[in-house]
Amino acid sequence: MSFENFVNWTVSIDCGSTIGNYQGQIKSIDGINQTLTLKNAFHNGILIDQDSGNIVTIKAKDIIDLNLLSQPGSLFQLPKTIHKKSFHEQSQQQLKAAPIANNGSKSSISSGINPSLSSRSRSSKSWSDEATNENDLNEETTNRFNFDSSNLSSLKNSSILQSYTQIQDKYRCDQMILEHNNGPIDYEQIQLPLPTTKKFLTDEGLVVPGINIELRNRLYSSSEYYGYSLERRIESMGRSTTDMCLHLLGGTQRLLVKNRHQHPTIVVLACLTEVQGAYAICAGRILASRNIRIYLYIPPNSNSIQHHFIENELKLFRTTQGIITTNVSDLPRSPVDLILNGLDAGNNSDSVLFAKPWYRDIVQYCSHLQASVIGLDPPLDGGAIECKYSLVPLLPLVSMSSKNVGRLYLCDLGFGQNVFQHLQIRYASPFGAKSFVALHDN
């Protein structure tokens, strides 16, 4: 439908809150200058001054919405006389405009008119009665006025759209888009003085070499020389384990106040003779401080504790609401979210442990639950309690394999580089923003 077909139509135009609303009959349409001229025009319900001939010209860019009210020759005509009223008086009279039904085509408009409007009483001559309320102009009266189809092509050819389409590369929010002049990335940021027999890879592709037991003990001695005590190591391992547990539990959503009815439950198994037990007790204490239900199981008949660091961790754990038990029957049957295994250690032989009834009961208890088991620095064979995940401190051991210990994760103990340089190890942290990182067999 051409522009001339809309001449003498009665329309209502919304130009936003700043300019206001216009109503009137279309006098002419200028497709080149993108303007529309109304005669017998009203502005916000008040007739435009006679000096301008009741004519107003509106730019297309100012038009937010345009509704067709009636076609030429219909009974819906503009009032002959106008009585200016205040905006408050005009708003009291809400006579709805006649809707024009749209048949679904953008190029044709039906001629149906609401017949009730011809007999409607019009005591007020203000156009605020006709269509200034957006609630009155509902979907039934939304016949949009379209300019020439060349507008669409001009929009496609605009400089704004062209500059937008020039950006062809798309980046994620965590991708680096700036070029660097530092050469290729060094993925082997950790290098040992002697070549290793096994290497692991992180998710980023960083190479983490495996070490033997002897080098690990030498690193522990070097850390103590620089002031990293055993208690600091236990605390760092406990916090890394806590972060891992919170990650597996579903992050922060699981611990929201609105989810307090389903706070998680974690069973902690701890031996009282090895440092792995201290790791587990420390992690249990930190988790219990987050309002997580913690059940700490320690072997029975262990009244005499041989190591002071175990005794200190138990003393700190008793300051929480966690439950300590030596009886397997006191542990929850369901639901249990996670099991922290600090019971199996490298110095504990499976044959020796299996000779004890309480250990057989614990193995049976864990096998019946559907909860994931996290091994804390487990033995190389994984132990009798099958682990789905395993956390190891410092650097992984060369003999470790995911077939025995499950998915392997490395924990950050926070040692400074001097600890490694003391043993001629070039070290750069592979952890990034987390305190643990996944390792994969290379």
Side-chain angles (χ1 to χ4, degrees), residues 151-194:
N151 293 337
L152 183 59
S153 61
S154 63
L155 177 61
K156 293 181 180 179
N157 297 327
S158 64
S159 58
I160 298 178
L161 188 60
Q162 288 178 354
S163 62
Y164 177 78
T165 55
Q166 288 177 357
I167 305 176
Q168 297 179 356
D169 295 334
K170 296 183 179 180
Y171 300 93
R172 299 193 310 268
C173 61
D174 59 345
Q175 280 185 304
M176 173 59 69
I177 63 174
L178 299 179
E179 296 182 358
H180 60 83
N181 299 321
N182 298 328
I185 300 176
D186 182 14
Y187 287 97
E188 293 195 30
Q189 299 181 359
I190 304 176
Q191 294 184 0
L192 304 178
L194 296 176

Side-chain angles (χ1 to χ4, degrees), residues 134-152:
E134 293 182 6
N135 295 329
D136 295 336
L137 294 176
N138 52 21
E139 296 180 357
E140 194 176 9
T141 61
T142 55
N143 292 308
R144 301 294 190 266
F145 182 82
N146 296 302
F147 281 162
D148 197 344
S149 60
S150 61
N151 293 337
L152 183 59

Side-chain angles (χ1 to χ4, degrees), residues 70-311:
S70 67
Q71 49 188 324
S74 65
L75 297 178
F76 186 84
Q77 298 293 336
L78 293 175
K80 299 296 183 180
T81 59
I82 304 298
H83 300 284
K84 294 185 179 180
K85 294 187 177 184
S86 65
F87 179 78
H88 175 72
E89 293 174 338
Q90 297 165 12
S91 61
Q92 301 299 322
Q93 303 174 5
Q94 300 293 334
L95 299 178
K96 295 185 178 180
I100 303 296
N102 194 331
N103 62 0
S105 174
K106 293 185 177 180
S107 60
S108 62
I109 301 175
S110 65
S111 59
I113 304 295
N114 191 339
S116 63
L117 287 176
S118 59
S119 59
R120 178 176 296 176
S121 174
R122 298 291 301 273
S123 60
S124 172
K125 304 302 182 180
S126 172
W127 261 80
S128 64
D129 301 337
E130 291 303 332
T132 57
N133 191 341
E134 293 182 6
N135 295 329
D136 295 336
L137 294 176
N138 52 21
E139 296 180 357
E140 194 176 9
T141 61
T142 55
N143 292 308
R144 301 294 190 266
F145 182 82
N146 296 302
F147 281 162
D148 197 344
S149 60
S150 61
N151 293 337
L152 183 59
S153 61
S154 63
L155 177 61
K156 293 181 180 179
N157 297 327
S158 64
S159 58
I160 298 178
L161 188 60
Q162 288 178 354
S163 62
Y164 177 78
T165 55
Q166 288 177 357
I167 305 176
Q168 297 179 356
D169 295 334
K170 296 183 179 180
Y171 300 93
R172 299 193 310 268
C173 61
D174 59 345
Q175 280 185 304
M176 173 59 69
I177 63 174
L178 299 179
E179 296 182 358
H180 60 83
N181 299 321
N182 298 328
I185 300 176
D186 182 14
Y187 287 97
E188 293 195 30
Q189 299 181 359
I190 304 176
Q191 294 184 0
L192 304 178
L194 296 176
T196 180
T197 59
K198 187 171 185 178
K199 296 180 180 179
F200 299 85
L201 294 178
T202 66
D203 292 335
E204 280 189 275
L206 297 177
V207 179
V208 179
I211 60 175
N212 52 32
I213 294 291
E214 180 184 358
L215 183 54
R216 175 189 275 189
N217 293 334
R218 290 174 59 194
L219 281 170
Y220 286 153
S221 299
S222 177
S223 66
E224 292 179 0
Y225 172 79
Y226 283 101
Y228 294 94
S229 62
L230 177 60
E231 286 75 13
R232 283 182 178 268
R233 190 205 316 169
I234 294 173
E235 188 73 18
S236 298
M237 186 68 178
R239 291 196 174 275
S240 296
T241 304
T242 299
D243 293 341
M244 178 68 178
C245 292
L246 295 177
H247 173 74
L248 294 176
L249 290 174
T252 58
Q253 296 295 325
R254 187 71 182 276
L255 301 180
L256 292 177
V257 178
K258 62 181 181 181
N259 291 332
R260 62 183 181 273
H261 61 284
Q262 55 177 3
H263 272 197
T265 300
I266 297 178
V267 174
V268 179
L269 311 177
C271 67
L272 303 181
T273 58
E274 301 296 334
V275 69
Q276 285 83 352
Y279 293 158
I281 298 172
C282 178
R285 166 175 57 86
I286 300 174
L287 290 168
S289 67
R290 306 289 182 90
N291 297 325
I292 297 177
R293 290 185 290 269
I294 301 296
Y295 290 83
L296 173 60
Y297 174 84
I298 57 177
N301 303 324
S302 55
N303 296 328
S304 60
I305 300 176
Q306 300 178 0
H307 302 289
H308 68 281
F309 57 86
I310 295 287
E311 185 176 359

Side-chain angles (χ1 to χ4, degrees), residues 25-39:
Q25 291 177 305
I26 298 177
K27 180 180 180 182
S28 63
I29 300 174
D30 189 348
I32 299 176
N33 297 322
Q34 296 288 283
T35 59
L36 182 147
T37 302
L38 297 180
K39 62 181 179 180

Side-chain angles (χ1 to χ4, degrees), residues 245 264-270 280 284 287 292-298 317 323 325 327-328 330-342 362 365-366 369 371-374 376:
C245 292
T265 300
I266 297 178
V267 174
V268 179
L269 311 177
L287 290 168
I292 297 177
R293 290 185 290 269
I294 301 296
Y295 290 83
L296 173 60
Y297 174 84
I298 57 177
F317 183 86
I323 300 174
T325 181
N327 193 347
V328 179
D330 294 336
L331 297 177
R333 300 298 168 179
S334 64
V336 175
D337 295 271
L338 292 174
I339 298 176
L340 291 184
N341 181 18
I362 280 293
Y365 168 79
C366 294
L369 289 180
S372 299
V373 180
I374 303 177
L376 302 182

